[in-house]
């Protein structure tokens, strides 16, 4: 019989594995695979054939290297560490063949190893026998946790009075489980189970015949049998929450770039309530905080704190101060708040005053609108909008939201910080303890991020070999930035651009006519510009569209883009006296109010016109009815003149002044229709004319 190491032999109903053999010494060492106890058998090679040790037709397959290679990738670090320690203990012993197969020698060596590594002798011996039993490789002593749990196997539950599950019922339970537990709705297992029983086994449930309908355990087991862990999480948390908050993030933002020059920007409402600088007793809510970060170094290259809601203007302001450096931001926004603390605002925060190659942002409204084209076209900066709900794609700037409040969370005094219990019943509102003004809060954020840039180490930064050669072992963001500027530059450009602020302001379209420039129904005066004046004179009554930029916080001036020039236009104080020093929101609110008032007046005017038409129609119907009853009269010129004079006399009598007051006893009333001799005139001009017209009709 030809022998091989690790060959499996069968004797009667037992299986053995060949551990060692020597043809010269005529010895063979076997281990019994069918018994659990650790025991070796020493036999002569010839006795194997005599005792009918044969090769089995169906040998046991309790060791599969291919499966283990896949399992190792899923093992936890703690299990891998235990595996390495076990191998370190026995790797020298198992190579000492054939001495190690002697029981006394084996026990002696196991005791020495147990004392050396401070483990029990039985543990060392068990690992050695597992090594022999499972193929004499390092994989042989791998902990068999992957065999636990019965994953993928159907359980055969045999209990008395248990409901029998058929294939059809399995499908019904799986469909009912998914239907009654919609994703992300927070429905409980028991409610889903009761809905299923209510529809399928209501009668059995009312009769308390538990063996005639599935139990809650059976419903859960068969309902989740074919669901993956991802599907179960989707049912519990919802698909959106699963993909957003429970997704594996194997990569790193640092690895996506080669050097400084690609920035990330994002905003968030602050967790700290602030107070008014005008009256420190009045809270004004939480400001909006913008952060800008360089991806390569993790450096915070810009901050901006505002009371306005997120918009393109606020985002562009944050980018503008990022491009111009921290010294300009400190002069314009902090207004000397840091001076009392002896802080050098020119170099403490960040040394970046460059234009980046690319800006990475989310799918928010700030840099998705038409205004973002200003940055792309005029400044030559590419904007990459990441997908919604993918905070991991701009993880650096998202991490800043945790950093800048890290120290304020542990502040012993109440300073208006909103913790996780904010809004719950019985919790004190943070706005009641608001302490800091906007400038003070901005200064604290600036110092916190400066501390991060210069003094915090990037523990998980993937150091390049060149960095380690230059001594960067545990670098800070500023050290990585400086190293990148020296060794990996090319993406940054100078920010020394004329009219940079005007180029980054929000854009719109203004209407130019021969008199002035109109925007948001405001008239702006145009300067005496030769080419612009020629265009205005040629327009006549036609209005031409031109791009303009504006500051929404103060609309006193706007910038007209004309023939590659930027022309500043001021508001016409004579035509718009009440709109000086107003913001765009105030102007739009005024225009909306004026439009509504104008609409109401137009409605009233139209209503009056309709009343007039109704009156005219009523009079016409009334007169037509009277005219038909008396017949048609003559329309000759003489007759019309007679009718006119008669109507005049009738109108005069109706307009005659009649006093409604009783005359005093001393008042003398004189009748104007009496003569000097107090004799009434019998006939007047009207009577004479009547006689003349009657004679004319008779003729």
């Amino acid at each position: 019989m030809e022998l091989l190491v690790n060959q499996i032999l069968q004797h009667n109903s037992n299986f053995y594995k060949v551990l060692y053999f020597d043809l010269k010494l005529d010895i063979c060492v076997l281990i019994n695979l069918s018994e659990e106890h650790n025991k070796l058998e020493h036999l002569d090679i010839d006795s194997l054939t005599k005792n009918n040790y044969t090769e089995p037709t169906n040998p046991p397959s309790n060791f599969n290297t291919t499966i283990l290679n896949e399992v190792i990738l899923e093992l936890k670090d703690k299990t891998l560490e235990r595996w390495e320690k076990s191998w370190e203990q026995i790797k020298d012993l198992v190579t000492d063949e054939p001495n190690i197969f002697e029981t006394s020698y084996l026990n002696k060596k196991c005791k020495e190893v147990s004392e050396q590594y401070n483990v029990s002798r039985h543990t060392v011996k068990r690992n050695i026998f597992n090594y022999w039993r499972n193929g004499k490789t390092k994989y042989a002593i791998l902990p068999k946790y992957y065999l636990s749990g019965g994953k993928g196997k159907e359980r055969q539950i045999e209990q008395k009075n248990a409901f029998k599950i058929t294939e059809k019922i399995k499908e019904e339970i799986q469909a009912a489980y998914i239907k009654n537990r919609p994703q992300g709705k927070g429905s409980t297992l028991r409610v889903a189970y009761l809905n299923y029983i209510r529809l399928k086994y209501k009668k059995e449930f009312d009769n308390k015949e538990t063996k005639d309908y599935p139990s809650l355990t059976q419903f859960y087991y068969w309902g989740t049998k074919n669901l993956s862990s991802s599907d179960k999480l989707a049912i519990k948390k919802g698909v959106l929450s699963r993909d957003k908050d429970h997704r594996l993030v194997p990569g790193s933002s640092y690895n996506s770039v080669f050097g400084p020059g690609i920035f990330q920007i994002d905003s968030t409402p602050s967790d700290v309530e602030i107070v008014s600088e005008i009256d420190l007793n009045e809270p004004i809510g939480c400001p909006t905080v913008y952060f800008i970060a360089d991806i390569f170094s993790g450096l915070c290259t810009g901050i901006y704190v505002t009371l306005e809601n997120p918009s393109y203007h606020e985002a562009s302001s944050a980018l503008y101060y990022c491009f111009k450096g921290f010294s300009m931001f400190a002069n314009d926004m902090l207004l000397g708040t840091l001076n009392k603390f002896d802080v050098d605002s020119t170099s403490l925060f960040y040394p970046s005053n460059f234009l980046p190659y690319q800006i990475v942002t989310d799918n928010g409204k700030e840099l998705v609108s038409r205004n973002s084209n200003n940055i792309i076209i005029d400044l030559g900066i590419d904007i990459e909008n990441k997908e919604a709900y993918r905070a991991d794609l701009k993880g650096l700037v998202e991490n800043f939201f945790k950093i800048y409040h890290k120290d304020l969370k542990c502040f012993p005094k109440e300073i208006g910080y909103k913790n996780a219990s904010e809004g719950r019943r019985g919790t004190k509102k943070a706005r009641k303890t608001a302490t800091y003004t906007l400038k003070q809060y901005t200064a604290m954020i600036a110092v916190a991020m400066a501390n991060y840039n210069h003094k915090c180490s990037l523990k998980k930064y993937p150091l390049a070999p060149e960095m380690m050669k230059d001594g960067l072992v545990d670098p800070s963001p500023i050290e990585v930035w400086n190293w990148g500027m020296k060794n990996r530059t090319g993406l940054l450009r100078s920010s020394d651009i004329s009219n940079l602020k005007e180029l980054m302001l929000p854009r719109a379209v203004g209407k130019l006519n021969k008199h002035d420039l109109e925007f948001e129904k405001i008239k702006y005066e145009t300067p005496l510009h030769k080419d612009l004046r020629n265009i205005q004179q040629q327009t006549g009554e036609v209005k031409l569209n031109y791009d303009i930029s504006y500051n929404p916080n103060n609309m006193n001036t706007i910038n007209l883009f004309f023939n590659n020039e930027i022309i500043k236009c001021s508001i016409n104080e004579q035509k718009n006296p009440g709109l000086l020093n107003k913001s765009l929101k105030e102007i739009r609110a005024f225009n909306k109010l004026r439009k509504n008032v104008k609409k109401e007046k137009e409605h009233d005017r139209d209503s009056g016109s309709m009343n007039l038409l109704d009156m005219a129609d009523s009079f016409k119907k009334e007169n037509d009815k009277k005219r038909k009853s008396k017949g048609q009269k003559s329309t000759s010129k003489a007759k019309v003149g007679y009718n006119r004079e008669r109507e005049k006399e009738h109108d005069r009598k109706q307009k005659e002044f009649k006093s409604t007051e009783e005359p005093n006893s001393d008042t003398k009333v004189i009748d104007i229709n009496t003569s000097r001799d107090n004799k009434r005139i019998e006939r007047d001009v009207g009577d004479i004319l009547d006689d003349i017209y009657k004679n004319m009709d008779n003729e």
Side-chain angles (χ1 to χ4, degrees), residues 130-147:
N130 287 336
Y131 172 81
W132 289 336
R133 192 185 302 276
N134 295 324
K136 301 180 71 175
T137 67
K138 184 179 178 180
Y139 291 107
I141 61 172
L142 183 69
K144 297 182 180 180
Y145 296 130
Y146 63 93
L147 298 177

Side-chain angles (χ1 to χ4, degrees), residues 29 78 182 230 371 374 400 409 487 690:
V29 180
K78 188 175 182 180
S230 177
N371 290 317
N374 310 344
F400 287 166
K409 288 181 179 180
N487 299 278
D690 288 341

Side-chain angles (χ1 to χ4, degrees), residues 571-634:
I571 191 171
N572 192 324
E573 298 184 11
Q574 296 179 353
K575 295 183 179 181
N576 307 278
L579 298 179
L580 292 175
N581 301 320
K582 301 297 182 182
S583 66
L584 181 62
K585 288 184 178 179
E586 292 173 323
I587 291 174
R588 285 178 173 172
F590 172 74
N591 289 336
K592 184 178 180 180
L593 177 62
R594 182 167 60 179
K595 182 179 178 181
N596 293 335
V597 173
K598 183 179 178 181
K599 190 174 180 180
E600 291 179 1
K601 289 185 176 181
E602 289 179 352
H603 181 269
D604 295 340
R605 183 194 64 189
D606 295 340
S607 178
S609 299
M610 293 175 66
N611 293 336
L612 177 62
L613 294 174
D614 291 339
M615 184 183 297
D617 186 52
S618 176
F619 289 158
K620 184 178 184 305
K621 291 180 179 179
E622 182 180 354
N623 293 340
D624 288 345
K625 186 176 180 181
K626 293 179 180 180
R627 188 182 297 116
K628 289 180 181 180
S629 62
K630 295 183 179 181
Q632 185 69 27
K633 297 295 183 179
S634 174

Side-chain angles (χ1 to χ4, degrees), residues 169-185:
I169 295 177
K170 291 179 185 178
E171 296 176 358
E172 291 179 354
I173 292 177
Q174 292 172 2
Y177 185 87
I178 296 175
K179 178 181 179 181
N180 294 314
R181 296 203 71 182
Q183 296 178 348
K185 299 297 184 180

Side-chain angles (χ1 to χ4, degrees), residues 340-579:
K340 65 177 69 175
F341 298 101
D342 193 21
V343 175
D344 182 9
S345 63
T346 59
S347 62
L348 175 66
F349 188 51
Y350 55 84
S352 173
N353 55 354
F354 305 96
L355 295 182
Y357 169 76
Q358 186 182 69
I359 295 175
V360 179
T361 181
D362 54 17
N363 207 23
K365 61 182 180 181
E366 294 103 318
L367 296 178
V368 177
S369 62
R370 169 184 177 272
N371 290 317
S372 61
N373 294 334
N374 310 344
I375 299 176
I376 299 174
I377 297 175
D378 296 334
L379 302 182
I381 300 175
D382 184 30
I383 295 180
E384 182 180 357
N385 297 103
K386 295 297 185 181
E387 297 87 345
Y389 307 107
R390 290 298 304 273
D392 57 297
L393 297 180
K394 46 184 180 60
L396 284 176
V397 72
E398 293 283 348
N399 191 44
F400 287 166
F401 298 153
K402 304 176 183 178
I403 294 175
Y404 81 104
H405 276 168
K406 181 177 62 175
D407 297 331
L408 291 180
K409 288 181 179 180
C410 303
F411 198 72
K413 299 180 180 179
E414 295 180 342
I415 55 173
Y417 180 79
K418 297 167 65 175
N419 52 31
S421 61
E422 178 71 18
R424 296 181 180 178
R425 186 173 62 180
T427 304
K428 187 176 182 180
K429 292 184 178 180
R431 67 183 57 176
K432 292 184 178 180
T433 59
T435 304
Y436 307 115
T437 64
L438 180 64
K439 293 185 180 62
Q440 293 172 344
Y441 182 63
T442 304
M444 289 191 293
I445 293 179
V447 173
M449 300 315 297
N451 182 63
Y452 162 79
N453 282 343
H454 290 261
K455 300 177 182 179
C456 292
S457 61
L458 301 175
K459 297 180 180 180
K460 297 182 180 181
Y461 190 87
L463 295 173
E466 298 86 354
M467 293 182 179
M468 291 185 283
K469 289 181 181 179
D470 293 339
L472 291 181
V473 180
D474 190 18
S476 62
I478 191 65
E479 292 175 342
V480 178
W481 169 272
N482 293 333
W483 185 91
M485 293 294 293
K486 181 179 179 181
N487 299 278
R488 293 184 179 181
T489 57
L491 298 179
L492 294 170
R493 293 176 290 121
S494 173
S495 61
D496 189 12
I497 299 176
S498 60
N499 299 320
L500 177 62
K501 183 66 175 179
E502 288 76 10
L503 291 173
M504 296 183 65
L505 287 174
R507 298 284 182 91
V509 177
K511 297 184 181 298
L512 181 69
N513 54 39
K514 65 180 180 180
H515 301 294
D516 44 39
L517 178 65
E518 181 180 347
F519 174 63
E520 291 290 341
K521 299 183 180 181
I522 306 175
K523 307 296 183 180
Y524 288 89
E525 297 177 344
T526 55
L528 296 177
H529 189 278
K530 180 180 179 181
D531 296 335
L532 180 61
R533 181 60 62 187
N534 292 336
I535 292 293
Q536 285 183 282
Q537 292 176 353
Q538 296 172 7
T539 56
E541 300 299 328
V542 179
K543 295 183 179 180
L544 301 179
N545 294 335
Y546 281 92
D547 285 343
I548 59 108
S549 66
Y550 59 91
N551 182 358
N553 296 329
N554 192 321
M555 297 295 291
N556 284 350
T557 60
I558 62 175
N559 305 297
L560 173 64
F561 291 84
F562 178 78
N563 292 344
N564 297 325
E565 294 185 47
I566 299 179
I567 303 174
K568 289 191 175 182
C569 303
S570 301
I571 191 171
N572 192 324
E573 298 184 11
Q574 296 179 353
K575 295 183 179 181
N576 307 278
L579 298 179

